[in-house]
Amino acid sequence: MIELKNIEKYYANKGVKSYILRHVTTSIKQGEFVSIMGPSGAGKSTLLNILGMLEEPTYGEYHFMGEDVTAMKERQRIELYRNHIGFVFQAYHLIDEMTVAENIEAPLLYKKIPGAERKSRIADILDRFNMVAKKDLFPNQLSGGQQQLVGIARALVAQPSIILADEPTGNLQSAQAEQIMDLFKKLNQEENITILQVTHSEKNAQYGNRILTIEDGVIKEDVTVK
Ligand code: ADP
Ligand code: ADP
């Protein structure tokens, strides 16, 4: 599903290059649940952002579902993103002025899904997440865990092939974090949705089947656990 070949990312300042990622070569198959771990500043978020097409690598090849992402025009990349990728952020990134239902609807509007189908998909996901009663509330009226559920509902409603999550439970208490990890595991096992998360938590990483460790912009370890 994902193939990275010799990915590099650096910033040049007065001719001096500072490398964020170096020689990153790896592949991820459909159905895997991968955790990216490593110290702060190692390049984890940068790698996830490149995979999520939110940032471009300076060098190297990235194939996503057989398509050459680095060779694409911005518009094609956005299209690919909207059709296949659900991104979940540590700080949720919900739109404060929009209700729960409106936040969840946003990606469907981008994809030009007709109104009746939008309504039924939003209703289904609210029901599944036990959030029907909260549909007209605003993000600041919800707990952190509920906000993250909305963030995940928004990622899922467009029926992505992969969920990319950057420290999805980083701002949550442990009970809420467990709920989110259980949900990821279920999505992975029952719906074969590929999951890639950046996490500092050994416990969160155990929910997945593979751990990639990054240090100083380099993949140091790649362990498939089960
Ligand atoms: P976090 O660790 O919470 O992800 P960072 O402090 O690493 O956040 O980065 C916050 C933002 O600042 C990022 O979006 C990044 O692009 C930018 N940034 C980080 N370090 C630098 C830097 N040395 N020069 C310019 N921009 C930077
Ligand atoms: P991690 O997610 O592992 O904490 P990041 O991918 O956020 O690491 O950042 C890796 C390094 O890249 C950090 O040292 C950060 O300061 C640097 N960085 C991020 N964005 C920029 C930027 N726009 N310009 C320069 N340096 C940056």
Side-chain angles (χ1 to χ4, degrees):
M1 161 168 234
I2 282 174
E3 302 251 8
L4 295 178
K5 211 159 150 194
N6 236 336
I7 291 289
E8 296 192 350
K9 178 80 180 184
Y10 59 78
Y11 293 97
N13 189 5
K14 295 181 184 142
V16 181
K17 292 176 184 174
S18 48
Y19 278 86
I20 315 298
L21 294 173
R22 285 175 297 155
H23 317 302
V24 173
T25 297
T26 191
S27 59
I28 291 159
K29 293 193 203 73
Q30 172 86 45
E32 283 197 284
F33 184 163
V34 183
S35 300
I36 302 174
M37 301 191 77
S40 199
K44 304 182 296 295
S45 296
T46 303
L47 177 60
L48 200 76
N49 289 344
I50 288 172
L51 292 169
M53 304 174 198
L54 306 177
E55 275 187 59
E56 288 184 70
T58 320
Y59 180 85
E61 280 177 49
Y62 173 17
H63 284 83
F64 181 85
M65 299 184 86
E67 305 221 44
D68 185 350
V69 176
T70 29
M72 273 180 193
K73 294 211 164 46
E74 173 98 15
R75 259 192 35 224
Q76 297 170 287
R77 226 171 18 234
I78 291 173
E79 176 99 0
L80 195 63
Y81 175 92
R82 285 184 181 154
N83 284 328
H84 293 289
I85 296 178
F87 212 99
V88 174
F89 303 88
Q90 175 171 359
Y92 328 126
H93 283 211
L94 301 176
I95 298 172
D96 291 334
E97 296 74 25
M98 296 194 338
T99 64
V100 165
E102 287 166 349
N103 268 284
I104 296 172
E105 184 174 31
L108 301 180
L109 290 169
Y110 285 127
K111 282 182 81 173
K112 302 195 166 61
I113 306 278
E117 189 180 343
R118 291 203 303 273
K119 279 215 172 74
S120 88
R121 282 212 214 168
I122 294 164
D124 283 350
I125 207 143
L126 285 169
D127 185 40
R128 178 165 167 202
F129 282 26
N130 278 321
M131 294 196 78
V132 177
K134 310 226 184 288
K135 72 179 169 57
D136 296 321
L137 296 183
F138 290 89
N140 67 10
Q141 297 174 291
L142 303 175
S143 72
Q146 289 166 342
Q147 289 185 58
Q148 191 57 297
L149 281 177
V150 176
I152 296 169
R154 177 181 59 185
L156 273 180
V157 79
Q159 301 170 344
S161 320
I162 184 166
I163 287 190
L164 299 172
D166 195 352
E167 293 269 5
T169 67
N171 292 3
L172 302 180
Q173 290 166 359
S174 60
Q176 298 176 316
E178 263 176 49
Q179 188 191 2
I180 301 291
M181 284 301 112
D182 285 336
L183 175 62
F184 276 2
K185 186 159 190 169
K186 204 165 156 208
L187 291 169
N188 178 249
Q189 293 189 337
E190 293 176 12
E191 296 178 39
N192 202 34
I193 295 175
T194 309
I195 310 245
L196 214 76
Q197 67 171 352
V198 167
T199 184
H200 278 108
S201 152
E202 198 57 63
K203 198 170 162 210
N204 282 2
Q206 297 309 322
Y207 283 80
N209 71 300
R210 181 175 168 195
I211 300 176
L212 277 179
T213 307
I214 300 193
E215 279 175 34
D216 285 329
V218 176
I219 296 182
K220 271 277 148 70
E221 240 186 2
D222 181 355
V223 181
T224 298
V225 281
K226 58 185 175 275

